Amino acid sequence: MSKIARRKSCPDYLSGGYEGLGAAWGEFCQWLEAEGLNVQESLWECYLTDPNSNPDPDTWRTELNRPLSE
């Protein structure tokens, strides 16, 4: 069995439809840079609520994640 290495990450959240993801990522990355945080190249999204849970985009919530460098 392989192990996944632990790493710290910094999350941010988008409430609303997916068309706002590009701007949300841009603002998040600007904030990380302004705070002087060193991030890794990888990133990921977690869809906390989505069209399968509710068809109304105003209820959707997406978690944006960037792993932090040591």
Side-chain angles (χ1 to χ4, degrees), residues 2 4 6 8 15-16 18 22 26-27 30-31 34 38 46 49 52 55 57 59-60 63 67:
S2 61
I4 298 174
R6 282 185 181 219
K8 292 181 181 179
S15 295
Y18 299 142
E27 291 173 17
Q30 286 177 348
W31 179 84
N38 295 318
C46 294
T49 54
N52 292 322
T59 67
W60 301 349
E63 181 183 77

Side-chain angles (χ1 to χ4, degrees), residues 8-70:
K8 292 181 181 179
S9 65
C10 187
D12 194 13
Y13 298 90
L14 168 68
S15 295
Y18 299 142
E19 66 277 354
L21 280 169
W25 273 113
E27 291 173 17
F28 183 35
C29 291
Q30 286 177 348
W31 179 84
L32 291 165
E33 186 176 327
E35 293 295 313
L37 297 170
N38 295 318
V39 296
Q40 297 177 11
E41 289 296 316
S42 61
L43 52 86
W44 70 93
E45 300 169 353
C46 294
Y47 305 101
L48 306 175
T49 54
D50 60 26
N52 292 322
S53 61
N54 189 322
D56 180 3
D58 290 339
T59 67
W60 301 349
R61 190 161 161 90
T62 306
E63 181 183 77
L64 314 177
N65 291 280
R66 289 293 306 262
L68 302 176
S69 298
E70 295 294 321

